[in-house]
């Protein structure tokens, strides 16, 4: 009986994870195709584009690196830009780590390597409603990560034949995806304050200093706003 219940629970976790990650994976398609096409247009081979995507797996940082790609490669500029953009992964990992009590150490290490904005947001939402399990988390990755690689390889092979991505609205894929993630994590007016502070700070930094400074500026402003807007939950205090 216990084994049967365990199997049923695992299947439910898999179904829930696939249901949750399906829409973000679909939204990832135009982004991946676009990146593959842009990367090959900048001189990377399809194999190099795939290796970069497999080892880095950070869409925002990859796009930033491609934007300043040149011959010779400006290594220092690329490292600095991608470091600033990926600093948010430190914050996401710190936020998600307390929810991974069911994970073994190696599962945390491997899982956080594949951490993305989408999987982080869905894992946080899952942890708020139920226990976050390795089955749920790695099922998301099992669909999300291959989707990224397959779509990038498609873009790299098709290259210039894709045409102007704005024609298909692919340039709005990133903003649309993040709007959906914010909506999924919405918890009332306090969330609005955090989002507004982060957006204003990011916009000001982009205007004053240019990318990639808007990413850490938005993150810092969002954290500060969250700290100022936080109020203790009286119901939870009574329970404790």
């Amino acid at each position: 009986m216990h084994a049967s219940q365990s199997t049923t629970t695992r299947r439910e976790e898999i179904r829930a994870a696939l249901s949750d990650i399906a829409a973000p994976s679909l939204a990832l398609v135009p982004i991946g195709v676009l990146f593959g096409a842009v990367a090959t247009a900048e001189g990377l081979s399809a194999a190099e584009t795939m290796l970069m995507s497999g080892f880095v797996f950070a869409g925002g940082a990859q796009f930033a690196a491609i934007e300043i790609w040149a011959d010779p490669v400006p290594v220092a500029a690329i490292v600095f830009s991608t470091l600033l953009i990926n600093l948010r992964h430190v914050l996401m990992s710190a936020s998600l780590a307390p929810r991974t009590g069911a994970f073994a150490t190696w599962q945390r290490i491997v899982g956080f390597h594949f951490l993305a904005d989408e999987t982080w947001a869905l894992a946080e939402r899952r942890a708020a409603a139920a226990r976050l399990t390795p089955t749920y988390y790695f099922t998301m990755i099992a669909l999300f990560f291959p989707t990224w690689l397959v779509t990038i390889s498609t873009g790299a092979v098709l290259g210039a034949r894709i045409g102007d991505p704005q024609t298909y609205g692919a340039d709005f894929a990133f903003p649309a995806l993040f709007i959906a993630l914010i909506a999924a994590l919405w918890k009332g007016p306090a969330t609005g304050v955090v989002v507004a502070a982060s957006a204003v700070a990011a916009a000001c930094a982009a205007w004053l200093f240019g990318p990639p400074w808007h990413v850490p500026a938005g993150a810092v402003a969002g954290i500060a706003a969250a700290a100022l807007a936080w109020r203790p939950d009286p119901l939870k205090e009574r329970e404790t």
Side-chain angles (χ1 to χ4, degrees):
M1 179 66 71
H2 179 74
S4 176
Q5 289 177 343
S6 178
T7 301
T8 301
T9 301
R10 193 176 298 111
R11 287 175 179 171
E12 291 172 350
E13 291 280 304
I14 292 172
R15 282 198 296 268
L18 291 175
S19 175
D20 289 345
I21 199 63
S25 297
L26 183 61
L28 197 66
V29 172
I31 301 171
V33 172
L34 175 61
F35 176 77
V38 171
T40 52
E42 290 294 329
L44 273 72
S45 67
E48 289 169 336
T49 303
M50 289 291 293
L51 285 173
M52 178 187 189
S53 303
F55 283 112
V56 178
F57 189 44
Q62 290 178 234
F63 273 104
I66 289 300
E67 284 180 6
I68 58 177
W69 197 269
D71 187 15
V73 178
V75 176
I78 289 176
V79 170
F80 180 68
S81 298
T82 55
L83 177 62
L84 280 180
I85 292 173
N86 282 342
L87 279 176
R88 74 189 192 282
H89 284 260
V90 176
L91 303 176
M92 291 191 297
S93 299
S95 168
L96 195 58
R99 283 102 164 129
T100 57
F103 288 55
T105 300
W106 71 266
Q107 289 173 326
R108 289 192 186 95
I109 295 172
V110 174
F112 282 3
H113 169 72
F114 292 102
L115 187 65
D117 300 284
E118 298 83 353
T119 53
W120 168 79
L122 292 173
E124 286 281 356
R125 189 181 69 174
R126 180 69 176 180
R131 190 185 191 196
L132 180 63
T133 64
T135 299
Y136 177 89
Y137 186 86
F138 283 100
T139 298
M140 287 198 300
I141 291 172
L143 178 61
F144 195 72
F145 182 61
T147 300
W148 179 239
L149 294 183
V150 168
T151 54
I152 283 177
S153 65
T154 301
V157 171
L158 294 179
R161 282 174 286 180
I162 294 175
D164 186 359
Q166 294 185 14
T167 304
Y168 314 103
D171 56 319
F172 188 66
F174 251 145
L177 181 56
F178 282 99
I179 289 171
L181 292 176
I182 291 171
L185 294 172
W186 192 268
K187 294 183 179 179
T191 305
V193 171
V194 174
V195 172
S198 181
V200 169
C204 290
W207 179 58
L208 292 172
F209 309 109
W213 293 103
H214 62 294
V215 176
V220 170
I223 293 170
L228 293 173
W230 180 83
R231 295 292 183 273
D233 189 337
L235 293 177
K236 289 185 178 180
E237 284 191 344
R238 289 196 200 103
E239 291 175 359
T240 56

